[in-house]
Amino acid sequence: MTLSLVALQLLNGVEQGLLLFLVASGLTLVFGVLGVLNFAHGSFYMLGAYLAFWLAERTGSLLFAVLLGVPLMLLFGFLVERLAVARLYQRDHLSQVLLTYGLVLLFNELSRLLFGNDVHPVATPALLSGSFKLGEVQSWPAYRLFTSLSCLVIALLLRYVILGTRFGMRLRAGASNAEMLEVLGVDVRKLFARVFSAGVALAALAGMLAAPLTTVYPGMGESVLVISFVVVVIGGIGSVRGAFFGALLVGIADTFGKVLVPSVSSAVVYAVMAAVLIWRPRGLFGAPAEAR
Amino acid sequence: MPLSRRSLLGVTGAVAASSLLPRPARSASLAKIRIGLLLPYSGTYAALGHNITDAMKLAAHEHGDKLGGREIEWVAVDDESDPAKAPANVNKLVVGEKVDILTGPVHSGVAMAMMQIVREEQTLTLVTNAGAQAVTGALCAPHVFRTSFSNWQTSYPCADVMLKAGHKKVALVFWNYGFGQESMAAFKEGFLKGGGAIVKEFPVPFPSTEFQANLSELASLKPDAVFVFFAGAGAAKFVKDYAAAGLREKIPLYGSGFLTEGVLAAQGPAAEGIQTTLHYAEALPSAANKKFREAFKKATTREADVYAVAGYDTVNLLSVALGKVKGDTAARKELIAALETARIESPRGPFRFSRAHNPVQDIYLREVKGGQQRVVSVALKDAEDPAVGCALVK
């Protein structure tokens, strides 16, 4: 493998990782702050993609679809939290898994009923339909670069919100001790609802951005969910920074796994996860046991 | 639900009474013929299951909803394309419902489980889609017919097409599971025999749709052409990624017909110029195809596809064969002989059964032009599956 090909594959891996981060960040936030194991996270990714497909067809633009779709999904996430998830904070993880898995089945069937089993295309915005030449044969679609940059911007925004704002401070406090936060007079219910709907919106946004690349079809969230859990575990449960580096690691490992050991490439990501867990049992940026 | 003593007594009483009643004589001409449908009505392949079912019912309707003079009773089970549930689902139809004839499934894994049971139970079976080689190969049986295709038939003919187009060094990309592996093995058989060379194989774990790493490597290898197996959403994404990476104009893309089947609209302009081989094409100009497509559209408001064709032909074959034995499914030998020699006007063109009971049929070369699937030529006339390991062929 030449050096330029290595660089290109690295780029492929980073690009894959950045989009993965967007999905995994919401999952890790919800688990870290609310303590809820959200199996429906992949479904919110799928709903985002379907919403992008549906709105883009009506408004004629993916940009409008995202601008309309994200607030809609924020609201939707809020409703799901208030009506369903909020009832489970005192319950064990099994009840949460049952509820959120039930939501997965519900959303999958709904998408089938509304849009059928077909694979639907979402047009790439005209402005971003060009491509750059990389090497003498391959090109790099401008839209992929755009999604990567968007993910980076969102990562930086998330970092600012978590570390630099009052909401972020409460969020961190809620993650380490929600009861104490409540005693101090913070409305934890409201905080939780906001965090959950933010998580839903992040997953949906990832689905919207990915829609032109992946096309839209029922059940598309499942594989994304599994790999997002891997990212969250590698990065350390509840750590957004961990999700970022975990996602990059998974993206790069998956890419080079496909290149170097194609016949067992599906196992590479899990081998990396096992290795990280042996080295750091709580993930790359997981809080040590006594802090929880 | 708690069962009260009274209702329990009632039920047992009714059962006891019914067993005392004289059983209706099993007169072949009066009883309804029970046809089992083992097809997916949910999950990834739900659309395929519905198309096969609707086409079967359309064909039945064209025969006045009767086969061999008997009315039809359809017994459908959703197999969910889940091989793990297949034995239970097959037993439900074969042992529980005692269907006269079993049809289905879509998924090859389900088909393998089905074969084990119908070989034991000796159920007359018509496979309506699953292309696994073993169905008419190592596991073939006198009472099992396949009306669709074998994986070999969808890929082997493409080797010759590519060699004739001057492509000597070819790379393979495929979903690494049964169907993909059988498809690649068949292609390689033909391609190596014809003097071609395989530059590299890219097995992609099923159902992953991340192709960038493979595409970058493909671009650096610069093969003459690429032969792939993907289907459904994976096919849609691969074709789009391939075009977006700028490879479409530089390295021609070939595949078995499933690469574009049902996802052509989703692929859009990215599919332009792709050549595939399959035993059917929507654009076939025959009168039988036109008539079938119009009737299917009228009945379902959907466009017919290769899956619907197999369902339609299945019932038409049954109609001919059952007509010959006057609906008497007990006359097994005669019924099987009648199926073996039955000839129908299929939308795909004429075909007959091989000794292994797989269709011997023309394989078409199709090309996507202007968003439409065009028929270029017949890639292989009377393609006959080699039926490796089938005891019927000796």
Side-chain angles (χ1 to χ4, degrees):
Chain A
M1 203 167 25
T2 61
L3 201 62
S4 65
L5 191 55
V6 174
L8 191 57
Q9 296 293 20
L10 204 60
L11 196 63
N12 285 332
V14 169
E15 188 246 28
Q16 190 185 334
L18 282 171
L19 198 59
L20 208 47
F21 161 73
L22 208 51
V23 192
S25 60
L27 190 63
T28 206
L29 262 182
V30 167
F31 191 80
V33 179
L34 282 60
V36 169
L37 210 48
N38 184 13
F39 268 55
H41 200 69
S43 293
F44 295 127
Y45 170 88
M46 176 188 76
L47 289 180
Y50 269 104
L51 204 56
F53 161 71
W54 190 71
L55 287 171
E57 231 177 33
R58 264 141 201 84
T59 62
S61 144
L62 187 64
L63 178 70
F64 285 135
V66 172
L67 289 179
L68 279 170
V70 171
L72 277 177
M73 288 305 286
L74 266 174
L75 184 70
F76 182 67
F78 183 79
L79 288 176
V80 170
E81 198 273 348
R82 282 293 91 198
L83 295 176
V85 179
R87 294 159 202 277
L88 293 180
Y89 293 138
Q90 306 307 322
R91 303 277 199 90
D92 60 359
H93 286 320
L94 183 63
S95 312
Q96 298 167 357
V97 168
L98 280 177
L99 171 79
T100 53
Y101 186 66
L103 290 177
V104 171
L105 299 178
L106 181 72
F107 293 145
N108 272 349
E109 279 315 304
L110 270 181
S111 71
R112 282 204 179 90
L113 289 177
L114 292 174
F115 297 99
N117 283 293
D118 296 328
V119 180
H120 296 290
V122 177
T124 311
L127 198 64
L128 297 165
S129 60
S131 59
F132 307 97
K133 260 189 105 53
L134 283 180
E136 45 180 316
V137 178
Q138 202 189 355
S139 329
W140 190 268
Y143 187 75
R144 278 184 184 269
L145 192 69
F146 167 77
T147 52
S148 297
L149 289 177
S150 311
C151 293
L152 260 182
V153 169
I154 292 162
L156 290 172
L157 268 176
L158 269 179
R159 188 187 145 83
Y160 167 73
V161 168
I162 291 170
L163 296 179
T165 65
R166 199 166 181 81
F167 175 69
M169 195 174 74
R170 286 184 179 167
L171 192 150
R172 280 178 289 144
S176 54
N177 195 332
E179 272 173 26
M180 185 60 79
L181 194 63
E182 202 160 18
V183 170
L184 292 175
V186 174
D187 188 346
V188 171
R189 267 177 22 136
K190 212 191 265 170
L191 178 75
F192 278 15
R194 282 180 186 168
V195 171
F196 190 85
S197 66
V200 169
L202 280 170
L205 178 60
M208 289 174 191
L209 288 177
L213 297 172
T214 60
T215 64
V216 180
Y217 51 96
M220 64 185 288
E222 262 104 279
S223 55
V224 175
L225 176 74
V226 175
I227 200 80
S228 299
F229 267 115
V230 172
V231 167
V232 169
V233 169
I234 286 180
I237 290 167
S239 165
V240 174
R241 185 159 35 141
F244 183 78
F245 290 105
L248 287 186
L249 186 63
V250 165
I252 292 168
D254 188 49
T255 301
F256 280 93
K258 279 193 174 120
V259 176
L260 300 175
V261 282
S263 49
V264 290
S265 58
S266 53
V268 168
V269 167
Y270 302 99
V272 168
M273 178 170 80
V276 167
L277 289 184
I278 290 168
W279 172 47
R280 297 183 78 115
R282 299 203 155 256
L284 293 175
F285 294 91
E290 58 270 24
R292 308 209 123 230
Chain B
M1 191 179 64
L3 195 62
S4 75
R5 189 158 27 150
R6 182 176 301 210
S7 66
L8 186 67
L9 281 174
V11 169
T12 35
V15 170
S18 72
S19 64
L20 294 176
L21 290 172
R23 291 230 159 182
R26 270 186 73 90
S27 143
S29 55
L30 286 177
K32 285 184 177 178
I33 187 163
R34 293 164 68 75
I35 299 188
L37 304 168
L38 179 72
L39 287 165
Y41 299 109
S42 63
T44 316
Y45 290 139
L48 282 60
H50 282 293
N51 275 4
I52 292 171
T53 307
D54 291 349
M56 286 176 79
K57 290 189 175 162
L58 170 67
H61 197 63
E62 290 175 356
H63 298 296
D65 288 316
K66 277 185 179 177
L67 291 175
R70 291 166 69 179
E71 281 181 50
I72 307 165
E73 186 176 348
W74 305 100
V75 188
V77 164
D78 179 6
D79 71 22
E80 300 170 50
S81 292
D82 187 346
K85 293 181 191 158
N89 286 331
V90 177
N91 273 323
K92 207 185 288 172
L93 287 168
V94 171
V95 182
E97 297 281 351
K98 298 211 184 309
V99 296
D100 296 305
I101 296 164
L102 180 63
T103 67
V106 166
H107 191 283
S108 281
V110 175
M112 299 303 273
M114 180 183 84
M115 288 304 289
Q116 306 287 356
I117 297 172
V118 299
R119 278 165 64 97
E120 253 170 49
E121 300 287 336
Q122 296 290 311
T123 317
L124 183 64
T125 303
L126 279 82
V127 176
T128 52
N129 184 67
Q133 294 298 122
V135 171
T136 56
L139 292 178
C140 76
H143 59 283
V144 176
F145 290 78
R146 175 153 58 192
T147 59
S148 50
F149 62 92
S150 75
N151 292 343
W152 183 92
Q153 289 180 312
T154 65
S155 300
Y156 177 87
C158 203
D160 200 39
V161 168
M162 290 172 75
L163 286 166
K164 277 192 187 134
H167 306 309
K168 298 281 177 218
K169 291 188 296 175
V170 165
L172 310 179
V173 192
F174 57 101
W175 258 341
N176 197 13
Y177 73 108
F179 200 156
Q181 288 159 356
E182 286 189 351
S183 172
M184 290 303 133
F187 174 81
K188 259 162 58 181
E189 180 197 330
F191 198 66
L192 298 177
K193 207 162 61 186
I198 306 290
V199 182
K200 186 156 186 181
E201 296 184 32
F202 297 95
V204 179
F206 177 79
S208 165
T209 54
E210 271 307 327
F211 305 117
Q212 280 307 110
N214 301 323
L215 292 177
S216 292
E217 218 184 338
L218 264 182
S220 75
L221 282 172
K222 284 179 273 191
D224 295 344
V226 180
F227 179 79
V228 303
F229 169 78
F230 291 106
K237 176 145 194 293
F238 183 85
V239 165
K240 288 188 88 167
D241 285 0
Y242 195 82
L247 299 181
R248 185 170 66 87
E249 295 87 358
K250 292 177 184 116
I251 309 172
L253 187 59
Y254 292 81
S256 75
F258 301 103
L259 187 61
T260 51
E261 229 31 40
V263 284
L264 202 53
Q267 290 162 339
E272 216 49 29
I274 293 179
Q275 299 202 350
T276 57
T277 46
L278 199 67
H279 56 284
Y280 176 69
E282 291 170 14
L284 284 174
S286 71
N289 187 38
K290 281 192 181 132
K291 179 181 144 250
F292 163 67
R293 298 196 65 84
E294 268 168 32
F296 188 87
K297 178 109 196 220
K298 210 173 148 197
T300 64
T301 72
R302 299 190 304 271
E303 289 292 339
D305 55 13
V306 64
Y307 310 106
V309 170
Y312 189 70
D313 287 354
T314 300
V315 170
N316 282 332
L317 282 165
L318 282 173
S319 171
V320 171
L322 284 165
K324 247 186 202 166
V325 297
K326 304 202 168 49
D328 185 6
T329 43
R332 295 255 311 185
K333 251 180 135 177
E334 293 78 5
L335 182 54
I336 287 171
L339 272 171
E340 277 170 341
T341 52
R343 294 286 179 275
I344 55 162
E345 288 257 321
S346 169
R348 75 184 96 171
F351 71 91
R352 62 192 156 85
F353 282 114
S354 69
R355 275 188 293 168
H357 293 172
N358 195 58
V360 178
Q361 54 194 342
D362 291 351
I363 304 295
Y364 303 98
L365 174 64
R366 306 118 35 99
E367 183 179 12
V368 181
K369 256 191 190 157
Q372 301 282 324
Q373 194 83 256
R374 303 281 166 85
V375 184
V376 180
S377 62
V378 175
L380 184 58
K381 190 125 193 75
D382 284 340
E384 180 170 354
D385 184 86
V388 177
C390 173
L392 297 172
V393 182
K394 275 173 196 154

